[in-house]
Amino acid sequence: MLVNKGQFTDWLNQLIQVYQVYAPVKEDDYFCFKKINSGDQATLNYTNSKVPPKEVLFPRSEKLFCYRCENDGVQLTEQIDESKKIIVGLRPCDAKSFLLLDGVFNSDKYHDPYYLIRRNNTVLVGLGCNQPAATCFCTSLGGGPFATEGLDLLLVDIGDRYVVEVLTDRGRELLSGMELPAANQEAQEAARIVKEGAALSTQVNLEGLKSKLDVIFYDPIWDLIHEKCLGCAACTYTCPTCHCFDIVDEAEGNEGCRIRNWDACMFPLFTLHGSGHNPRPTGKERFRQRVMHKFKYFVDNFNAIACVGCGRCIINCPVNLDIREVLAEIQGSEVRSDKQ
């Protein structure tokens, strides 16, 4: 199908009447996903958002339930968000991240209703990457600038129009009433040229990485590669697949709420026990945990790498610590037996 960009804004305005619509919005010198009240607030001419759209489904801070203690017991009020949502303009790498998060929040051992209800009520309208950033390496993780995995619709920007690829019934339903023309040969050719021109400059060698990580937990390489890290957690807070959280009660008097907040394995308090013992007492252990979690533990548990190659951790690191260089260093290190 084919839609011109003027029509697209009108379409967003129609959707806003029914759905909560989230789209990339410019704030200062960066982009982030925000709920929009008008179609012209969406800015789809962008490279990628600073924070991924995962916070639409997994907010950085959310109430799980509220409570009030009475003489005859405790009254609980659930805080489930059942509103219908659309995320418009997310990149294919971010759509893939939702598939990885699905495994975490909907596993054999754990079902998270807060995430799952939002997920089931959300339609994903992706936007292909005409010009991937120099820090992108999605193709090394099985993705691509125009990958469709996890999306309901994919938009291909061909200038003054979008070629719309319908990928699911939910996507098709979203377009009902639009009466869009089919993409003609000229538009299809323009889309093909755009796709072929969206080449990534970086490839990361992941072959054999898991096997190597299986045996280097105590390897001296961790003494070196963590040294640059400040432990600020910018990498985890901007990562579309990181999902650590903390739960606290905020109470006053006889009432309060239970709150879930994003947390990060890069913080020393994350693993601090009540006894005072911390199994990850220094940056070395915390940095090792981050690498191991994404490229070994997640593979062990979900048969997938917990990275989509979006490059946000590289762009937002204040000391230019590049995960691609870290992985290359691990790949190039000697194979040593794992001895403590």
Side-chain angles (χ1 to χ4, degrees), residues 299-314:
V299 179
D300 288 336
N301 292 324
F302 301 104
N303 196 32
I305 292 174
C307 173
V308 294
C310 69
R312 287 187 178 92
C313 60
I314 302 168

Side-chain angles (χ1 to χ4, degrees), residues 4-51:
N4 68 51
K5 292 185 176 178
Q7 278 180 299
F8 186 76
T9 301
D10 294 339
W11 180 57
L12 291 181
N13 286 328
Q14 292 175 26
L15 295 176
I16 288 169
Q17 305 305 314
V18 181
Y19 298 86
Q20 291 182 3
V21 178
Y22 293 80
V25 173
K26 188 171 185 181
E27 289 197 347
D28 298 326
D29 60 347
Y30 63 90
F31 292 88
C32 56
F33 278 81
K34 294 281 189 182
K35 181 183 171 185
I36 59 173
N37 302 312
S38 171
D40 56 14
Q41 291 178 303
T43 305
L44 270 60
N45 183 22
Y46 79 120
T47 302
N48 212 346
S49 59
K50 187 165 191 171
V51 178

Side-chain angles (χ1 to χ4, degrees), residues 48-151:
N48 212 346
S49 59
K50 187 165 191 171
V51 178
K54 76 174 179 184
E55 63 180 334
V56 177
L57 306 186
F58 174 43
R60 64 184 73 186
S61 182
E62 66 174 320
K63 291 179 182 177
L64 303 180
F65 60 84
C66 293
Y67 53 87
R68 180 178 179 83
C69 301
E70 305 285 2
N71 291 333
D72 56 350
V74 179
Q75 293 184 350
L76 296 178
T77 306
E78 279 192 320
Q79 303 286 316
I80 298 285
D81 178 5
E82 297 182 300
S83 58
K84 293 183 177 181
K85 307 178 194 300
I86 301 175
I87 304 177
V88 174
L90 76 164
R91 298 301 187 183
C93 55
D94 287 333
K96 184 179 179 182
S97 76
F98 287 137
L99 299 178
L100 298 172
L101 292 176
D102 289 349
V104 174
F105 291 115
N106 190 25
S107 69
D108 293 337
K109 299 178 181 177
Y110 178 63
H111 295 266
D112 187 300
Y114 306 96
Y115 172 88
L116 293 176
I117 290 174
R118 288 193 186 98
R119 179 76 163 104
N120 290 333
N121 288 335
T122 301
V123 184
L124 302 180
V125 181
L127 175 66
C129 299
N130 289 22
Q131 294 180 314
T135 47
C136 293
F137 56 103
C138 61
T139 52
S140 301
L141 280 305
F146 293 88
T148 57
E149 193 177 14
L151 289 169

Side-chain angles (χ1 to χ4, degrees), residues 209 213 216 219-230 266 283-289 291-292 319-323 325-331 333 336:
L209 177 65
L213 290 173
I216 65 166
D219 195 281
I221 193 172
W222 303 110
D223 295 328
L224 299 173
I225 58 176
H226 84 281
E227 286 186 330
K228 204 172 175 183
C229 178
L230 301 175
M266 303 306 292
K284 168 189 166 182
E285 291 84 8
R286 295 191 283 274
F287 189 82
R288 179 180 61 192
Q289 165 62 22
V291 174
M292 285 286 195
V319 294
N320 299 319
L321 186 50
D322 190 329
I323 188 65
E325 295 174 0
V326 170
L327 297 178
E329 197 159 347
I330 292 172
Q331 290 282 47
S333 65
R336 289 175 282 253

